[in-house]
Coordinates of all heavy atoms in Angstrom, one line a residue:
D73 N 12.0 40.0 -25.2 CA 13.0 38.9 -25.1 C 13.9 39.1 -23.9 O 13.9 40.2 -23.3 CB 13.8 38.9 -26.4 CG 14.4 37.5 -26.7 OD1 14.4 36.6 -25.8 OD2 14.9 37.3 -27.8
I74 N 14.6 38.0 -23.5 CA 15.5 38.2 -22.4 C 16.9 37.7 -22.8 O 17.0 37.1 -23.9 CB 15.1 37.4 -21.1 CG1 15.2 35.9 -21.4 CG2 13.7 37.7 -20.7 CD1 15.3 35.0 -20.1
F75 N 17.9 38.0 -22.0 CA 19.2 37.5 -22.3 C 19.4 36.1 -21.8 O 19.2 35.8 -20.6 CB 20.3 38.4 -21.6 CG 21.7 38.2 -22.0 CD1 22.2 39.0 -23.1 CD2 22.5 37.3 -21.5 CE1 23.5 38.8 -23.5 CE2 23.8 37.1 -21.9 CZ 24.3 37.8 -22.9
D76 N 19.7 35.2 -22.7 CA 19.8 33.8 -22.4 C 21.1 33.5 -21.7 O 22.1 33.5 -22.3 CB 19.7 32.9 -23.7 CG 19.5 31.5 -23.4 OD1 20.1 31.0 -22.4 OD2 18.8 30.8 -24.2
Q77 N 21.0 33.2 -20.4 CA 22.2 32.9 -19.6 C 22.9 31.6 -20.0 O 24.1 31.4 -19.7 CB 21.9 32.9 -18.1 CG 20.9 31.9 -17.7 CD 20.7 31.9 -16.2 OE1 21.4 32.6 -15.5 NE2 19.7 31.2 -15.7
A78 N 22.2 30.7 -20.7 CA 22.8 29.5 -21.1 C 23.7 29.7 -22.3 O 24.8 29.2 -22.4 CB 21.8 28.4 -21.4
T79 N 23.2 30.4 -23.3 CA 24.0 30.7 -24.5 C 24.8 32.0 -24.5 O 25.5 32.2 -25.4 CB 23.0 30.7 -25.7 OG1 22.1 31.8 -25.6 CG2 22.2 29.4 -25.8
L80 N 24.5 32.8 -23.5 CA 25.1 34.1 -23.4 C 24.8 35.0 -24.6 O 25.7 35.7 -25.1 CB 26.6 34.0 -23.1 CG 27.0 33.3 -21.8 CD1 28.5 33.3 -21.6 CD2 26.3 34.0 -20.6
A81 N 23.6 34.9 -25.1 CA 23.2 35.7 -26.3 C 21.7 35.9 -26.1 O 21.0 35.2 -25.5 CB 23.5 34.9 -27.5
P82 N 21.2 37.0 -26.8 CA 19.8 37.3 -26.8 C 19.1 36.2 -27.5 O 19.6 35.4 -28.3 CB 19.7 38.6 -27.5 CG 21.0 39.2 -27.4 CD 22.0 38.1 -27.4
G83 N 17.8 36.0 -27.2 CA 17.0 35.1 -28.0 C 16.3 34.0 -27.3 O 15.8 33.1 -27.9
A84 N 16.3 34.0 -26.0 CA 15.6 32.9 -25.3 C 14.1 32.8 -25.5 O 13.6 31.8 -25.6 CB 15.9 33.0 -23.8
D85 N 13.5 34.0 -25.6 CA 12.0 34.0 -25.8 C 11.6 34.3 -27.2 O 10.6 33.8 -27.7 CB 11.5 35.1 -24.8 CG 10.0 35.2 -24.9 OD1 9.3 34.1 -25.0 OD2 9.4 36.3 -24.8
R86 N 12.4 35.0 -27.9 CA 12.1 35.4 -29.3 C 10.8 36.1 -29.4 O 9.9 35.6 -30.2 CB 12.3 34.2 -30.2 CG 13.7 33.8 -30.4 CD 13.9 32.5 -31.3 NE 15.3 32.3 -31.5 CZ 16.1 31.7 -30.7 NH1 15.7 31.4 -29.5 NH2 17.4 31.5 -31.0
A87 N 10.6 37.1 -28.7 CA 9.3 37.9 -28.7 C 9.2 38.5 -30.1 O 10.2 38.9 -30.7 CB 9.3 38.9 -27.6
P88 N 8.0 38.8 -30.6 CA 7.8 39.4 -31.9 C 8.5 40.8 -32.0 O 9.0 41.1 -33.0 CB 6.3 39.6 -31.9 CG 5.8 38.5 -31.1 CD 6.7 38.4 -30.0
S89 N 8.6 41.5 -30.8 CA 9.3 42.8 -30.9 C 10.8 42.7 -31.1 O 11.4 43.6 -31.6 CB 9.0 43.5 -29.6 OG 9.7 42.9 -28.5
G90 N 11.4 41.6 -30.7 CA 12.8 41.4 -30.8 C 13.6 42.2 -29.8 O 14.8 42.2 -29.8
E91 N 12.9 42.9 -28.9 CA 13.6 43.7 -27.9 C 14.1 42.9 -26.7 O 13.4 41.9 -26.3 CB 12.7 44.8 -27.4 CG 12.3 45.9 -28.5 CD 11.5 47.0 -27.9 OE1 10.3 46.7 -27.6 OE2 11.9 48.1 -27.9
V92 N 15.3 43.1 -26.3 CA 15.9 42.3 -25.2 C 16.1 43.1 -24.0 O 16.5 44.3 -24.0 CB 17.3 41.8 -25.7 CG1 17.9 40.9 -24.6 CG2 17.1 41.0 -27.0
I93 N 15.7 42.5 -22.8 CA 16.0 43.2 -21.5 C 17.0 42.3 -20.8 O 17.0 41.1 -20.9 CB 14.7 43.4 -20.7 CG1 14.0 42.0 -20.4 CG2 13.8 44.3 -21.3 CD1 12.9 42.1 -19.4
G94 N 18.0 43.0 -20.1 CA 19.0 42.2 -19.4 C 20.2 42.0 -20.3 O 20.2 42.2 -21.5
D95 N 21.4 41.6 -19.7 CA 22.6 41.3 -20.4 C 23.4 40.3 -19.6 O 23.0 39.8 -18.5 CB 23.4 42.5 -20.7 CG 23.7 43.4 -19.5 OD1 23.8 42.8 -18.4 OD2 23.8 44.6 -19.7
A96 N 24.6 40.0 -20.0 CA 25.4 39.0 -19.3 C 25.7 39.4 -17.9 O 25.7 38.6 -17.0 CB 26.7 38.8 -20.1
E97 N 26.0 40.7 -17.7 CA 26.3 41.2 -16.4 C 25.2 41.0 -15.4 O 25.3 40.6 -14.3 CB 26.8 42.7 -16.4 CG 27.2 43.2 -15.1 CD 27.7 44.6 -15.1 OE1 27.7 45.2 -16.3 OE2 28.0 45.2 -14.1
D98 N 24.0 41.3 -15.9 CA 22.8 41.2 -15.1 C 22.6 39.8 -14.6 O 22.3 39.5 -13.5 CB 21.5 41.7 -15.8 CG 21.6 43.2 -16.1 OD1 22.1 43.9 -15.3 OD2 21.1 43.5 -17.2
N99 N 22.8 38.8 -15.5 CA 22.6 37.4 -15.2 C 23.7 36.9 -14.3 O 23.5 36.0 -13.5 CB 22.5 36.6 -16.5 CG 21.2 36.7 -17.2 OD1 20.2 36.1 -16.7 ND2 21.1 37.5 -18.2
A100 N 24.9 37.4 -14.5 CA 26.1 36.9 -13.7 C 25.9 37.4 -12.2 O 26.3 36.7 -11.3 CB 27.4 37.4 -14.3
N101 N 25.3 38.6 -12.1 CA 25.1 39.1 -10.7 C 23.7 38.9 -10.2 O 23.0 39.8 -9.8 CB 25.5 40.6 -10.7 CG 26.9 40.9 -11.1 OD1 27.8 40.3 -10.4 ND2 27.2 41.6 -12.1
R102 N 23.2 37.7 -10.3 CA 21.9 37.4 -9.9 C 21.6 37.8 -8.5 O 22.4 37.4 -7.6 CB 21.6 35.9 -10.1 CG 20.2 35.5 -9.9 CD 20.0 34.0 -10.4 NE 18.6 33.7 -10.4 CZ 18.0 33.0 -9.4 NH1 18.8 32.7 -8.3 NH2 16.8 32.7 -9.4
G103 N 20.5 38.5 -8.3 CA 20.2 38.9 -6.9 C 20.8 40.3 -6.5 O 20.4 40.8 -5.5
Q104 N 21.6 40.8 -7.4 CA 22.2 42.2 -7.1 C 21.5 43.2 -8.0 O 21.1 42.9 -9.1 CB 23.7 42.1 -7.3 CG 24.4 41.1 -6.4 CD 24.2 41.4 -4.9 OE1 24.2 42.6 -4.6 NE2 24.0 40.4 -4.1
P105 N 21.5 44.5 -7.6 CA 21.0 45.5 -8.5 C 21.7 45.5 -9.8 O 22.9 45.4 -9.9 CB 21.2 46.8 -7.7 CG 21.2 46.3 -6.3 CD 21.9 45.0 -6.3
G106 N 20.9 45.7 -10.9 CA 21.5 45.7 -12.2 C 20.8 46.7 -13.1 O 20.0 47.5 -12.6
G107 N 21.0 46.6 -14.4 CA 20.4 47.5 -15.3 C 19.1 47.1 -16.0 O 18.7 47.7 -17.0
V108 N 18.5 46.0 -15.5 CA 17.3 45.5 -16.2 C 16.2 46.5 -16.2 O 15.5 46.7 -17.2 CB 16.9 44.1 -15.6 CG1 15.7 43.6 -16.4 CG2 18.0 43.1 -15.6
L109 N 16.0 47.1 -15.1 CA 14.9 48.1 -14.9 C 15.0 49.2 -16.0 O 14.0 49.7 -16.5 CB 14.8 48.6 -13.5 CG 13.6 49.6 -13.3 CD1 12.3 49.0 -13.6 CD2 13.7 50.2 -11.9
D110 N 16.2 49.7 -16.2 CA 16.4 50.7 -17.2 C 16.0 50.2 -18.6 O 15.4 51.0 -19.3 CB 17.9 51.1 -17.2 CG 18.3 51.9 -16.0 OD1 17.4 52.5 -15.4 OD2 19.5 52.0 -15.8
D111 N 16.3 49.0 -18.9 CA 15.8 48.4 -20.2 C 14.3 48.4 -20.2 O 13.7 48.7 -21.2 CB 16.4 47.0 -20.4 CG 17.9 46.9 -20.4 OD1 18.5 47.9 -20.8 OD2 18.4 45.8 -20.2
V112 N 13.7 48.0 -19.1 CA 12.2 47.9 -19.0 C 11.6 49.2 -19.2 O 10.6 49.4 -20.0 CB 11.8 47.3 -17.7 CG1 10.3 47.4 -17.4 CG2 12.2 45.8 -17.6
L113 N 12.1 50.3 -18.5 CA 11.5 51.6 -18.7 C 11.7 52.1 -20.1 O 10.9 52.9 -20.6 CB 12.2 52.5 -17.6 CG 11.9 52.2 -16.2 CD1 12.7 53.2 -15.3 CD2 10.4 52.2 -15.8
S114 N 12.8 51.8 -20.7 CA 13.0 52.2 -22.1 C 12.0 51.6 -23.0 O 11.5 52.3 -23.9 CB 14.5 51.8 -22.5 OG 14.7 52.1 -23.9
V115 N 11.7 50.3 -22.8 CA 10.7 49.7 -23.6 C 9.3 50.4 -23.5 O 8.6 50.7 -24.4 CB 10.5 48.2 -23.3 CG1 9.3 47.6 -24.0 CG2 11.8 47.4 -23.7
I116 N 9.0 50.7 -22.2 CA 7.7 51.3 -21.9 C 7.6 52.7 -22.5 O 6.6 53.1 -23.1 CB 7.5 51.4 -20.4 CG1 7.3 50.0 -19.8 CG2 6.3 52.3 -20.0 CD1 7.2 50.0 -18.3
D117 N 8.7 53.4 -22.5 CA 8.7 54.8 -23.0 C 8.7 54.8 -24.6 O 8.3 55.8 -25.2 CB 10.0 55.6 -22.5 CG 9.8 55.9 -21.0 OD1 8.7 55.9 -20.5 OD2 10.9 56.2 -20.4
R118 N 9.3 53.8 -25.2 CA 9.5 53.8 -26.6 C 8.3 53.3 -27.4 O 8.1 53.6 -28.6 CB 10.8 53.1 -27.0 CG 12.0 53.8 -26.7 CD 13.3 53.1 -27.3 NE 13.6 51.9 -26.6 CZ 13.3 50.7 -27.0 NH1 12.7 50.5 -28.2 NH2 13.7 49.6 -26.3
R119 N 7.5 52.3 -26.9 CA 6.5 51.8 -27.7 C 5.2 51.5 -26.9 O 5.3 51.3 -25.7 CB 7.0 50.5 -28.4 CG 7.2 49.3 -27.5 CD 7.7 48.1 -28.4 NE 8.0 47.0 -27.7 CZ 7.2 46.0 -27.4 NH1 5.9 46.0 -27.7 NH2 7.6 44.9 -26.8
T120 N 4.1 51.4 -27.6 CA 2.9 51.1 -26.9 C 2.8 49.7 -26.5 O 3.5 48.8 -27.0 CB 1.7 51.4 -27.9 OG1 1.8 50.6 -29.1 CG2 1.6 52.9 -28.3
P121 N 2.0 49.3 -25.5 CA 1.9 48.0 -25.0 C 1.4 47.0 -26.1 O 0.6 47.5 -27.0 CB 1.0 48.0 -23.8 CG 0.2 49.3 -24.0 CD 1.1 50.2 -24.7
D122 N 1.7 45.8 -26.0 CA 1.2 44.8 -27.0 C -0.3 44.6 -26.8 O -1.0 44.4 -27.7 CB 1.9 43.5 -26.8 CG 3.4 43.6 -27.2 OD1 3.7 44.1 -28.3 OD2 4.3 43.2 -26.4

Side-chain angles (χ1 to χ4, degrees):
D73 205 347
I74 71 162
F75 192 90
D76 191 324
Q77 60 179 350
T79 63
L80 297 182
D85 183 36
R86 290 179 171 76
S89 68
E91 293 182 294
V92 180
I93 59 174
D95 55 29
E97 182 179 357
D98 295 326
N99 282 281
N101 296 304
R102 187 168 186 264
Q104 300 298 319
V108 184
L109 181 60
D110 286 341
D111 297 339
V112 168
L113 297 179
S114 177
V115 170
I116 291 175
D117 288 341
R118 284 187 290 104
R119 70 179 176 92
T120 58
D122 293 309

